[in-house]
Amino acid sequence: MTNQQSASPQRPPVTVVGLGPMGLALAETLWDRGHTTTVWNRTPDKADSLVAKGVHRTESVAEAVSASPVTIMCLKDYETMYEVFDFAGDAAKGRVLVNLNSGTPKEARRAAGWAAERGFSYLDGAIMVPPPLVGHPESVFLYSGPQDVFDEHRTTLASMGDPRYLGSEPGRAVLYNTALLEIMYATMNGYLHATAMVGSAGISAVEFAELAVGWFMPTVLGPMLADDAPDLDNGNYPGDLGTLEMNLNALEHITRTAEEQGVHTDQPRLMLEIASRAIADGHGGSNYLAVFEVFKKATQAP
Ligand SMILES: NC(=O)c1ccc[n+]([C@@H]2O[C@H](COP(=O)([O-])OP(=O)(O)OC[C@H]3O[C@@H](n4cnc5c(N)ncnc54)[C@H](OP(=O)(O)O)[C@@H]3O)[C@@H](O)[C@H]2O)c1
């Protein structure tokens, strides 16, 4: 690991608050792209690898927010953001906060009101790729909120991926996010359930993926599931880049968004129930593929 930034020209300072797998990827990418980067996390040790590169770690969230004109928040959810910002006092006043945790449109609108009351600009956003794809020019990041704020900081946001502006209505980015994630989870569940079904006849996930992925899967999810097939066969679901607990949050957001928007909730509820069952079976720290363990078992009589 190097403590030298790449040859990129110096870019505006940025703060990242929240260093789960996603926040770590964002902070590392911003640093590598030439932004002077400051970080804060509840568990400070998670910044050790960033500090070794030259990233600045602060002891308080107020100090972190004060260090840059723009703070990127990547915490578990909106409630965590409010909890963390209770300690920031007036530090954010006159600055820009970009919130990238997932949630529901109502939560995003409430957060925009909360920011306005405290005197800082607020963009709500969502990340449409897993941590290893942060920084790729085609990796989609969704944003909604004031257009002038988005335009002013577009170049900084482009350091993390492809910034797509969806309009001034603050809930629009998370609405798109939950809609796109619903496609992903429904597709993943169909694939995992089908793999469990052929698995009951002794066909391995690798063998099935070779045919199934080429037959149906589109370009992004297909290659990912083909790479994951050996892990399905080995029951290996490492959660280091995102846990089933984190995915449960996303499934809850899809269910609550369906409620908020006044559409049918049975399908998201079922996906939520299946993921909850996998967590109850001890897979909360595993990645999403651990729902395969639920699909491999016969349904228990109620
Ligand atoms: N990972 C992915 O593949 C992925 C993809 C797209 C979007 N996202 C979104 O990105 C956001 C972050 O996800 P993630 O995978 O990085 O991990 P996560 O488990 O959802 O969030 C972890 C972060 O939240 C902090 N946190 C949780 N409870 C806290 C509390 N009570 N007080 C202070 N901090 C608290 C953690 O601090 P500690 O380190 O101290 O626990 C850590 O910084 C989520 O909204 C997720 O939906 C993730």
Side-chain angles (χ1 to χ4, degrees):
M1 201 169 281
T2 167
N3 62 1
Q4 295 297 306
Q5 280 177 300
S6 67
S8 315
Q10 199 63 29
R11 291 181 173 168
V14 187
T15 290
V16 178
V17 170
L19 297 176
M22 186 50 89
L24 277 171
L26 298 175
E28 183 170 22
T29 301
L30 287 161
W31 169 262
D32 287 346
R33 297 281 187 281
H35 296 271
T36 301
T37 308
T38 301
V39 294
W40 179 88
N41 193 51
R42 174 182 63 174
T43 310
D45 297 1
K46 290 200 185 160
D48 285 353
S49 61
L50 296 170
V51 171
K53 291 183 123 195
V55 167
H56 179 51
R57 167 174 48 201
T58 63
E59 284 185 11
S60 73
V61 69
E63 208 186 327
V65 170
S66 304
S68 314
V70 175
T71 292
I72 311 278
M73 306 283 297
C74 193
L75 293 159
K76 185 179 161 210
D77 51 24
Y78 287 91
E79 287 312 315
T80 310
M81 178 177 76
Y82 297 131
E83 208 178 301
V84 164
F85 258 74
D86 268 356
F87 299 104
D90 281 342
K93 221 170 195 165
R95 297 174 193 276
V96 176
L97 191 68
V98 181
N99 179 27
L100 295 178
N101 68 234
S102 63
T104 75
K106 206 178 194 172
E107 288 177 319
R109 286 192 287 272
R110 182 180 161 218
W114 165 83
E117 276 168 23
R118 280 159 185 76
F120 51 87
S121 302
Y122 181 82
L123 286 175
D124 204 278
I127 307 166
M128 298 315 306
V129 292
L133 294 184
V134 168
H136 290 237
E138 68 280 9
S139 294
V140 169
F141 281 58
L142 308 173
Y143 296 100
S144 47
Q147 175 141 23
D148 56 332
V149 177
F150 175 80
D151 288 344
E152 188 182 346
H153 299 286
R154 188 191 184 103
T155 313
T156 296
L157 301 177
S159 291
M160 299 184 290
D162 175 13
R164 303 286 189 96
Y165 180 67
L166 297 172
S168 59
E169 201 281 286
R172 193 52 62 91
V174 289
L175 180 61
Y176 266 69
N177 173 245
T178 47
L180 294 171
L181 286 181
E182 186 176 11
I183 299 176
M184 183 190 81
Y185 285 115
T187 306
M188 293 263 285
N189 276 20
Y191 169 77
L192 290 171
H193 189 266
T195 304
M197 218 157 43
V198 295
S200 68
I203 298 160
S204 74
V206 169
E207 205 179 344
F208 182 56
E210 197 268 319
L211 192 148
V213 168
W215 174 72
F216 174 70
M217 299 288 171
T219 47
V220 177
L221 200 53
M224 193 178 101
L225 292 177
D227 285 350
D228 288 336
D231 282 343
L232 294 182
D233 287 332
N234 296 322
N236 179 36
Y237 315 111
D240 51 333
L241 295 180
T243 63
L244 193 46
E245 294 275 8
M246 183 276 290
N247 284 278
L248 188 79
N249 255 347
L251 289 165
E252 274 168 355
H253 297 148
I254 295 170
T255 310
R256 282 198 280 129
T257 301
E259 276 166 13
E260 281 178 19
Q261 299 299 121
V263 297
H264 210 273
T265 56
D266 278 7
Q267 175 168 296
R269 271 188 204 294
L270 183 60
M271 292 197 287
L272 185 64
E273 192 187 309
I274 290 163
S276 302
R277 208 169 311 154
I279 290 174
D281 288 348
H283 297 293
S286 305
N287 68 37
Y288 186 78
L289 296 180
V291 301
F292 189 49
E293 294 299 318
V294 174
F295 288 143
K296 283 197 290 186
K297 293 180 204 149
T299 306
Q300 303 294 312

